[in-house]
């Protein structure tokens, strides 16, 4: 065998057999994640088979739900997460080279091989918007806001009062804007004055810094007649106060998240992995007030409404084109900064959707 001939004529082919950089989960979180909980490795991708595609990730998503979902992941597994990607090679008739796709199961990786079953073409994006919106306002967070407010909190009527916490995040800011589109009063809150100003700039009727006000007094002032629909991203004492004192009779509550509980440190090692959260905090008993006010309180996850995705995508894209739905992103450059972006998002450093731009492509 002439090794020089092989090196000369097949070097390009070897280079094209793309490698991927991948972040694996190597430690269990205790409180907030740390960068040491992840390991960056290089993975050699297998050659494409018939029916498969090779994709390069363009933008990767960091979201609060990841903090909880990893509890059941085996250590050493690639970190979960969604991404928007470009197809660079295809042996699948459903996808062409150059197609823009998104998926919730690509994970933290710079490239991937897929049979296409977990990929969706991002054909709903309007022209002249960033590709990253496919995992943001025009992606899972936008659809979560849409379904949580319009399906879980139905019937939403013009003139009603809507409260959403975590309002400056990827989901919360869309909730408030949809409430305004539907003719409602939108009340939001965030953890900094700059975020409050952002909420006001996108049309929230009332916005406040929950760290510097008395929540009960503030809600009494801005919603003296009570709350019709409460979109809860936070849980904890915030939700206790709203449900106990501020919901109207027959109010509706959509439970989308419980971020106040995600990063609590376990009281002991024995608590780790026993439940959804490492630490089970004791809160008020809410059944009495739910009964007395005949509230409808419902938890939901976005994938429950997958068969309605086209409806949501069409509406969200139209509102963006009409200028009724504004978007904002917090972009971190460089795949190697995935852990830093994830931790920063959990600590509330972002306004709008937190994404990581893969600069390897």
């Amino acid at each position: 065998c002439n090794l020089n001939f092989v090196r000369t004529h097949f070097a390009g082919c070897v280079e094209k057999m793309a490698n991927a950089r991948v972040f694996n989960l190597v430690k269990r979180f205790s409180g907030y994640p740390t960068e040491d909980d992840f390991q960056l490795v290089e993975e050699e991708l297998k050659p494409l088979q018939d029916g498969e595609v090779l994709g390069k990730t363009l933008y990767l998503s960091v979201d609060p739900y990841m903090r909880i979902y990893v509890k059941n992941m085996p250590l050493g597994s690639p970190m979960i997460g969604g991404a928007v990607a470009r197809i660079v090679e295809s042996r699948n008739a459903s996808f062409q080279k150059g197609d823009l796709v998104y998926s919730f199961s690509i994970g933290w990786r710079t490239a991937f091989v897929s049979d296409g079953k977990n990929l969706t073409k991002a054909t709903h994006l309007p022209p002249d918007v960033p590709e990253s919106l496919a995992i943001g306002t025009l992606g899972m967070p936008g659809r979560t806001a849409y379904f949580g407010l319009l399906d879980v909190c139905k019937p939403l009527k013009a003139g009603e009062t809507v409260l959403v916490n975590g309002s400056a995040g990827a989901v919360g800011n869309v909730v408030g804007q949809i409430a305004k589109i539907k003719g409602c009063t939108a009340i939001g809150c965030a953890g900094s004055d700059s975020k409050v100003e952002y909420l006001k700039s996108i049309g929230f009727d009332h916005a406040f810094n929950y760290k510097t006000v008395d929540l009960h007094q503030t809600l009494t002032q801005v919603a003296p007649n009570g709350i019709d629909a409460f979109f809860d991203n936070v849980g904890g004492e915030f939700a206790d106060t709203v449900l106990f004192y501020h919901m109207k009779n027959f109010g509706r509550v959509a439970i989308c998240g419980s971020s106040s509980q995600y990063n609590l440190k376990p009281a002991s090692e024995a608590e780790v992995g026993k439940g959804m959260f490492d630490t089970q905090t004791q809160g008020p008993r809410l059944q009495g007030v739910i009964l007395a006010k005949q509230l409808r309180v419902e938890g939901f996850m976005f994938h429950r409404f997958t068969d309605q995705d086209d409806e949501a995508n069409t509406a969200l894209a139209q509102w963006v084109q009409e200028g009724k739905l504004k978007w904002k992103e917090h972009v971190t450059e460089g795949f190697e900064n995935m852990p830093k972006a994830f931790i920063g998002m959990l600590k509330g450093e972002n306004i709008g959707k937190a994404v990581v731009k893969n600069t390897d492509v």
Side-chain angles (χ1 to χ4, degrees), residues 325-341:
L325 179 58
K326 300 175 176 63
W327 51 269
K328 189 174 182 65
E329 295 180 314
H330 183 97
V331 181
T332 299
E333 298 269 344
F335 178 78
E336 65 278 5
N337 292 315
M338 287 293 302
K340 185 180 297 183

Side-chain angles (χ1 to χ4, degrees), residues 26-139:
V26 294
K27 293 181 183 178
R28 296 294 177 203
F29 302 153
S30 178
Y32 281 100
T34 69
E35 293 190 43
D36 290 340
D37 296 332
F38 309 94
Q39 183 181 40
L40 180 59
V41 300
E42 190 163 296
E43 175 183 283
E44 184 176 316
L45 299 178
K46 65 179 183 177
L48 287 191
Q49 303 296 314
D50 288 341
E52 293 183 330
V53 299
L54 171 64
K56 294 287 185 73
T57 54
L58 304 178
Y59 293 91
L60 299 99
S61 181
V62 288
D63 298 286
Y65 78 86
M66 298 174 182
R67 174 62 180 82
I68 300 303
Y69 276 50
V70 298
K71 291 178 67 67
N72 297 320
M73 282 178 52
L75 293 181
S77 300
M79 183 63 182
I80 60 171
V84 58
R86 185 76 64 186
I87 301 300
V88 296
E89 187 178 345
S90 177
R91 294 180 64 177
N92 184 317
S94 298
F95 296 91
Q96 303 297 316
K97 181 178 179 179
D99 283 348
L100 186 71
V101 299
Y102 63 91
S103 173
F104 308 114
S105 56
I106 289 175
W108 289 13
R109 55 174 59 247
T110 57
F112 60 90
V113 171
S114 169
D115 62 7
K117 292 179 181 178
N118 66 327
L119 304 176
T120 303
K121 292 182 183 180
T123 55
H124 64 292
L125 293 186
D128 303 322
V129 302
E131 297 156 326
S132 51
L133 287 198
I135 51 173
T137 298
L138 299 180

Side-chain angles (χ1 to χ4, degrees), residues 32 188-196 207-215 218 234 238 344-350:
Y32 281 100
C189 65
S192 73
D193 291 343
S194 61
K195 291 181 178 182
V196 169
F208 57 89
N209 184 341
Y210 71 87
K211 294 180 179 179
T212 60
V213 303
D214 180 284
L215 179 60
T218 300
V234 174
F238 190 110
M345 177 275 304
L346 290 174
K347 292 184 176 180
E349 295 176 1
N350 59 296

